Amino acid sequence: MSWPVAGSPELTMLALTLVLAFVSLFPAAAGRTKVNGLDWNAGPRDSTPRTPDVVTQRLERAQANLWETLPLFIGGVLIAEVADKTGTLTFWGTQAFFWGRLAYIPLYAAGAPYVRSLAWMVATLGLVAVFAALFLP
């Protein structure tokens, strides 16, 4: 199978995850702009912003949660590539991380308990799989 990024499924999933992280910026930003206005958003933001609605707050937390683990994911994938440690664990680990994170954002925004935590766990187990691959022979 041919993968769009350097022939590597792991790098492809890393690239898709980076796109997801970038795209995750916009829904929360739109919610903040809706509450505080375009002038606030375009200005220096010197005043304290008004508290956004609950969905925007959830989107902010989901975005922050992704960004907290993103450096770990990037590092794990790049080390696996450079050290030639890619294989079944990194393949499925990167898939689980991306798809778990993709599901996590709308589930968090919807306020879905338990299933949101399940999506987080899938992504976290994917990260663990990538790390495990680095230390296995």
Side-chain angles (χ1 to χ4, degrees):
M1 175 178 219
S2 176
W3 293 91
V5 178
S8 164
E10 291 83 0
L11 289 178
T12 297
M13 296 315 294
L14 174 55
L16 289 172
T17 302
L18 292 173
V19 170
L20 176 62
F22 177 69
V23 169
S24 76
L25 295 169
F26 296 100
R32 285 188 301 274
T33 300
K34 181 180 175 184
V35 170
N36 294 291
L38 191 55
D39 288 340
W40 174 84
N41 192 22
R45 300 180 187 177
D46 292 334
S47 63
T48 302
R50 284 183 249 147
T51 302
D53 61 73
V54 69
V55 173
T56 300
Q57 291 176 50
R58 290 175 186 161
L59 287 166
E60 289 173 338
R61 290 191 299 270
Q63 174 197 341
N65 192 274
L66 170 59
W67 283 73
E68 287 170 359
T69 56
L70 189 59
L72 303 171
F73 182 68
I74 293 168
V77 171
L78 292 180
I79 291 169
E81 286 286 334
V82 169
D84 198 26
K85 293 288 208 162
T86 58
T88 303
L89 275 175
T90 56
F91 175 84
W92 290 112
T94 56
Q95 296 287 323
F97 186 84
F98 172 77
W99 293 108
R101 284 297 175 177
L102 182 64
Y104 182 82
I105 294 169
L107 288 169
Y108 204 142
Y114 303 108
V115 67
R116 179 202 80 197
S117 297
L118 179 62
W120 180 88
M121 184 59 70
V122 166
T124 300
L125 289 173
L127 188 57
V128 169
V130 170
F131 291 162
L134 301 178
F135 297 98
L136 293 174

